[in-house]
Amino acid sequence: MNGSTQLISSAYSWCVHVCCVASVVSGSLKYCLVILNQPLDKCFRHLWHKALLKACADGGANRLYDVTEGERESFLPEFISGDFDSIRPEVREYYAIKGCEIISTPDQDHTDFTKCLEVLQRKIEEKDLQVDMIVTLGGLAGRFDQIMASVSTLFQAPQITSLPIIIIQEESLVYLLQPGKHKLHVDTGMEGDWCGLIPVGQPCNQVTTTGLKWNLTHQTLSFGTLVSTSNTYDGSGVVAVETDRPLLWTMAVKL
Amino acid sequence: MEHAITPLEPLLPSALLKACADGGANRLYDVTEGERESFLPEFISGDFDSIRPEVREYYAIKGCEIISTPDQDHTDFTKCLEVLQRKIEEKDLQVDMIVTLGGLAGRFDQIMASVSTLFQAPQITSLPIIIIQEESLVYLLQPGKHKLHVDTGMEGDWCGLIPVGQPCNQVTTTGLKWNLTHQTLSFGTLVSTSNTYDGSGVVAVETDRPLLWTMAVKL
């Protein structure tokens, strides 16, 4: 266990993340793309064509349809899944005619995002794809309950897929760090100014970091005690985080 | 003891005290162009890394108190609440609630910082604090029983209960479409989102840990 580069995540071993956007854009990372029901950032064009699989969760299809007017045939997702209470009928029809799989996931106990991940994982297995990461666009703005639902999906994700999932919207990225040690490479040039560590679901009682301007040493992060926001980097290009409980990493991206 | 609140009640009347936290003054300045004198806050506080110089100057000249709160261990929002509470006490004002505009969109870390401030608020003020931005409202329910009156007509379609910060192991509700009975809310287990009302006009929530109530507002 010498901290070498392995994209294997297991408790208490070094988990190295090429964070994340540069390698996604440059093509060295194999990823799938999920589009949620939020305004689509322009960066989706860079991300679209190199994605191994592209999917929309319900109203995410509306967003894709609207922003690709005039060139829709170049932006056809493999599938659209959801309970379809958001997708417009003409949008659903268009993508169905064009051969995109339309998969109804009516279960009201889970969000369209969660169910989309389940379908995606199934397809990755069926097609025996080698995938490093799932990139999700949207989910961090708009209705507050749905922002929280996006974060909640990240907590459920390990039961759905072993793949790391990042969510990006506008200048924000979130990624849930499971208990253990993590090394985040933040020297791609696409990192923005700020970053943070958010103990969303429970206090994290033993958090140690290096590479941040304001580091932590065996400290507790907890709503009401200490939440790391408006943090930044120390210039070393690497942030190491050790946590005893799931801890949400968030950072600015310059796309 | 049961706490009763009508979350949308303050949208009706006018504010006793108005304050801006740092860059909030820029927003106020820009949106009140042509009628700025009718929208002067009592004070503007913050570390002033966001407020534009001309904005700060304008409000200072107009008699608004400019209060520097440079402490980098707390957000401008948290520090603004401290100043506000001090002024409420100095002026001996009878206040029922603090209404905060903004804080629920933009940078994700700052959205989380807004929520974190709600957790710190009881150490700053005993007043309930609601945060509103666009169609969303959030309000932190302290452990205990709460009755939320949701019959003002300004409630939107959705609502939710978000166990931010820690699991809530004993949550019971009435008045929602999907109620809970002594259930656990926890990230990774169950988070109540896209919930709605049963039409009774009142939502009752009992929780053993702080629990974030969120709802749609139609403004």
Side-chain angles (χ1 to χ4, degrees):
Chain A
M1 214 75 77
N2 62 1
S4 59
T5 323
Q6 298 177 86
L7 281 174
I8 297 170
S9 179
S10 65
Y12 309 112
S13 68
W14 282 100
C15 180
V16 182
H17 308 276
V18 190
C19 210
C20 303
V21 183
S23 53
V24 171
V25 173
S26 71
S28 59
L29 200 74
K30 299 184 176 55
Y31 62 96
C32 297
L33 194 63
V34 173
I35 296 181
L36 302 182
N37 191 4
Q38 278 293 304
L40 258 180
D41 297 313
K42 296 193 201 71
C43 71
F44 96 94
R45 287 165 186 281
H46 299 296
L47 295 168
W48 182 272
H49 295 295
K50 291 187 179 130
L52 297 181
L53 262 179
K54 286 88 76 173
C56 298
D58 205 352
N62 298 336
R63 307 287 183 169
L64 181 66
Y65 183 88
D66 292 338
V67 85
T68 56
E69 186 180 352
E71 47 177 348
R72 286 186 185 119
E73 286 189 0
S74 302
F75 294 91
L76 299 175
E78 265 75 19
F79 73 87
I80 299 168
S81 68
D83 58 9
F84 299 138
D85 62 356
S86 299
I87 191 172
R88 302 197 307 266
E90 71 272 19
V91 172
R92 179 177 176 169
E93 204 177 312
Y94 174 83
Y95 287 116
I97 286 166
K98 290 296 179 184
C100 308
E101 204 177 340
I102 310 294
I103 302 172
S104 171
T105 55
D107 176 12
Q108 290 301 298
D109 284 343
H110 297 279
T111 63
D112 290 329
F113 179 23
T114 304
K115 293 177 288 183
C116 188
L117 290 178
E118 290 173 344
V119 177
L120 185 62
Q121 176 63 22
R122 205 166 65 229
K123 290 201 172 288
I124 289 169
E125 290 167 4
E126 281 169 8
K127 295 173 192 280
D128 200 26
L129 293 174
Q130 296 308 303
V131 181
D132 301 315
M133 183 183 285
I134 297 172
V135 179
T136 309
L137 298 181
L140 304 182
R143 279 173 45 171
F144 186 81
D145 67 330
Q146 290 186 341
I147 297 175
M148 293 293 97
S150 303
V151 173
S152 184
T153 294
L154 294 182
F155 278 75
Q156 293 162 16
Q159 291 151 266
I160 300 170
T161 174
S162 58
L163 297 174
I165 302 173
I166 64 172
I167 308 180
I168 298 174
Q169 182 163 2
E170 289 171 43
E171 74 161 307
S172 298
L173 176 151
V174 301
Y175 171 58
L176 184 63
L177 304 172
Q178 291 300 324
K181 294 179 177 180
H182 302 267
K183 202 173 264 183
L184 309 169
H185 291 275
V186 291
D187 54 353
T188 65
M190 282 188 277
E191 294 75 17
D193 294 334
W194 57 266
C195 60
L197 290 162
I198 320 291
V200 178
Q202 69 292 296
C204 300
N205 295 311
Q206 289 285 335
V207 181
T208 299
T209 71
T210 59
L212 299 174
K213 182 166 180 183
W214 289 283
N215 283 305
L216 301 157
T217 311
H218 303 300
Q219 276 166 270
T220 294
L221 286 178
S222 169
F223 275 81
T225 310
L226 180 65
V227 176
S228 177
T229 63
S230 292
N231 210 330
T232 190
Y233 307 103
D234 69 359
S236 62
V238 181
V239 172
V241 182
E242 184 170 2
T243 176
D244 63 329
R245 311 298 297 279
L247 180 58
L248 196 70
W249 164 255
T250 183
M251 62 188 286
V253 297
K254 288 188 301 197
L255 294 165
Chain B
M1 182 171 76
E2 190 175 75
H3 309 268
I5 188 171
T6 307
L8 300 184
E9 192 170 353
L11 296 181
L12 313 168
S14 54
L16 298 178
L17 260 178
K18 286 90 74 175
C20 298
D22 204 353
N26 297 337
R27 308 288 186 164
L28 181 67
Y29 184 88
D30 291 337
V31 85
T32 56
E33 186 181 349
E35 45 178 352
R36 285 187 185 119
E37 286 194 6
S38 303
F39 295 91
L40 299 176
E42 266 73 19
F43 72 87
I44 300 168
S45 68
D47 58 9
F48 299 138
D49 61 356
S50 299
I51 192 171
R52 302 196 307 265
E54 70 272 20
V55 172
R56 179 177 176 170
E57 206 179 311
Y58 174 83
Y59 287 116
I61 286 166
K62 291 296 180 184
C64 309
E65 201 176 344
I66 310 294
I67 302 172
S68 171
T69 56
D71 176 13
Q72 289 302 296
D73 284 343
H74 296 280
T75 63
D76 291 328
F77 178 23
T78 304
K79 293 176 289 184
C80 188
L81 289 178
E82 290 173 345
V83 177
L84 185 64
Q85 176 63 23
R86 204 167 65 230
K87 290 199 172 290
I88 289 169
E89 290 167 5
E90 283 169 4
K91 295 171 192 281
D92 200 26
L93 294 174
Q94 296 308 303
V95 181
D96 302 313
M97 185 184 287
I98 297 172
V99 179
T100 309
L101 299 181
L104 305 181
R107 278 173 48 169
F108 186 81
D109 68 328
Q110 290 186 341
I111 298 175
M112 294 294 97
S114 304
V115 173
S116 185
T117 293
L118 295 182
F119 278 75
Q120 292 162 18
Q123 292 152 267
I124 299 171
T125 174
S126 60
L127 296 174
I129 301 172
I130 66 172
I131 307 180
I132 298 175
Q133 182 160 3
E134 288 171 40
E135 76 159 306
S136 298
L137 174 151
V138 301
Y139 170 59
L140 186 62
L141 305 171
Q142 291 300 324
K145 294 180 177 179
H146 302 265
K147 198 174 264 183
L148 309 170
H149 294 275
V150 291
D151 54 354
T152 65
M154 284 185 282
E155 294 76 16
D157 294 334
W158 57 266
C159 60
L161 290 162
I162 319 292
V164 179
Q166 70 291 296
C168 300
N169 296 309
Q170 288 284 333
V171 180
T172 300
T173 71
T174 59
L176 298 173
K177 181 167 181 183
W178 290 283
N179 283 305
L180 300 157
T181 310
H182 303 299
Q183 275 164 272
T184 295
L185 286 178
S186 168
F187 276 84
T189 310
L190 179 65
V191 176
S192 176
T193 63
S194 293
N195 210 330
T196 190
Y197 307 104
D198 70 359
S200 62
V202 179
V203 172
V205 182
E206 184 171 1
T207 176
D208 63 330
R209 311 299 297 281
L211 180 58
L212 197 69
W213 164 255
T214 182
M215 63 187 288
V217 299
K218 288 188 301 197
L219 296 167

